[in-house]
Amino acid sequence: MSTPDSRRSVARLAVVGPGRVGRAAALAFSAAGYDVTGPLGRGDTADRADVILLCVPDREIAAAVAALRTRGALIGHTSGATPLHGSGADFALHPLRSFAGSERADAFAGVGCAVAGSSAEALRVAEELAVAVGGRPFEVHDDQRAGYHAAASIASNFLVTLEAAAERVAAASGLEPGFREHLAPLVRGTVENWAAHGPRAALTGPIARGDDETVARQRAAVAAGAPELLPLFDELSARTRDLALEGPRA
């Protein structure tokens, strides 16, 4: 649910960074009724804004804050990994989603947004911005940020790495190049089950059933067709076995 215009403390917003997040943010905030400038690239200038939102690489945040501080606006960054303290920014607003191909006005709708503020006012602005574009703000403190970002990377980035490994094994077994389209519904269903019921209840397959013979045949196929993935297969098998032995978990 967006924030009604009459309750907003921010009217003009400048988005700095023309990458995926910057383009999505500019579209979303414009659609939400803000006067948006950008996304601005390196060297671009803009009129004065109430808030400057940095959608730049982590290594560039501190320099960008220093360069823009004279404008007098609140400055926020959209990094998930960068602590607020030491960055120079006033607030952080990190949307917990992948932005590949997500340049749409509703890109933030229903998305959890990790927020932080150097003051109560800055935190309130971060929450306001998140809500205005349909996001769901939750506060993440600096001492939680590394663990928060690691969890996000495991859930998202590592999932893609696993799907690439699945495609590699399928290809090595002689399956058609378009086999991904058959794996995708399986992955979506698994993710939905995990979201609704938790990891233990969502677990299926030969390890969950205690079918060691099938697991051994799978391992032999990996060893024959994609031996570089064998350590990954073994580690994941061990972790999955541990999960299968746990009691039900929400």
Side-chain angles (χ1 to χ4, degrees):
M1 182 177 178
S2 64
T3 304
D5 291 353
S6 62
R7 294 173 52 195
R8 293 179 182 174
S9 61
V10 175
R12 304 183 67 185
L13 178 72
V15 177
V16 177
R20 294 172 179 172
V21 177
R23 294 194 299 269
L27 279 172
F29 285 111
S30 180
Y34 289 92
D35 180 1
V36 177
T37 300
L40 302 172
R42 188 186 300 273
D44 290 342
T45 58
D47 295 333
R48 194 173 187 86
D50 301 315
V51 166
I52 299 173
L53 188 64
L54 301 179
C55 304
V56 301
D58 292 8
R59 64 183 179 276
E60 298 178 12
I61 291 173
V65 171
L68 295 168
R69 181 52 74 189
T70 56
R71 296 193 185 178
L74 283 177
I75 301 177
H77 72 64
T78 54
S79 168
T82 303
L84 189 60
H85 179 72
S87 71
D90 301 298
F91 69 89
L93 193 170
H94 177 250
L96 194 57
R97 68 156 298 168
S98 168
F99 279 89
S102 303
E103 295 171 29
R104 304 182 333 221
D106 63 349
F108 293 79
V111 173
C113 295
V115 297
S118 60
S119 65
E121 163 73 6
L123 178 61
R124 188 185 61 74
V125 167
E127 293 172 338
E128 173 187 316
L129 292 174
V131 171
V133 290
R136 300 164 56 199
F138 58 93
E139 190 172 4
V140 173
H141 300 286
D142 275 1
D143 61 355
Q144 300 171 315
R145 190 163 290 272
Y148 155 77
H149 203 247
S153 293
I154 292 169
S156 178
N157 305 150
F158 291 2
L159 176 61
V160 175
T161 302
L162 285 176
E163 301 316 325
E167 288 189 67
R168 171 77 179 91
V169 172
S173 300
L175 294 168
E176 60 188 48
F179 189 65
R180 180 190 306 163
E181 68 181 79
H182 302 301
L183 288 173
L186 172 65
V187 175
R188 293 189 188 102
T190 299
V191 170
E192 290 299 323
N193 287 339
W194 162 73
H197 306 295
R200 177 63 184 83
L203 188 62
T204 63
I207 293 178
R209 296 192 299 268
D211 186 352
D212 294 337
E213 291 184 8
T214 295
V215 176
R217 288 196 296 272
Q218 291 178 342
R219 188 180 190 280
V222 174
E228 73 279 8
L229 295 176
L230 202 55
L232 178 64
F233 181 87
D234 287 342
E235 180 63 25
L236 289 173
S237 294
R239 295 291 179 178
T240 302
R241 193 169 288 109
D242 290 344
L243 178 60
L245 294 174
E246 292 180 4
R249 177 182 298 177

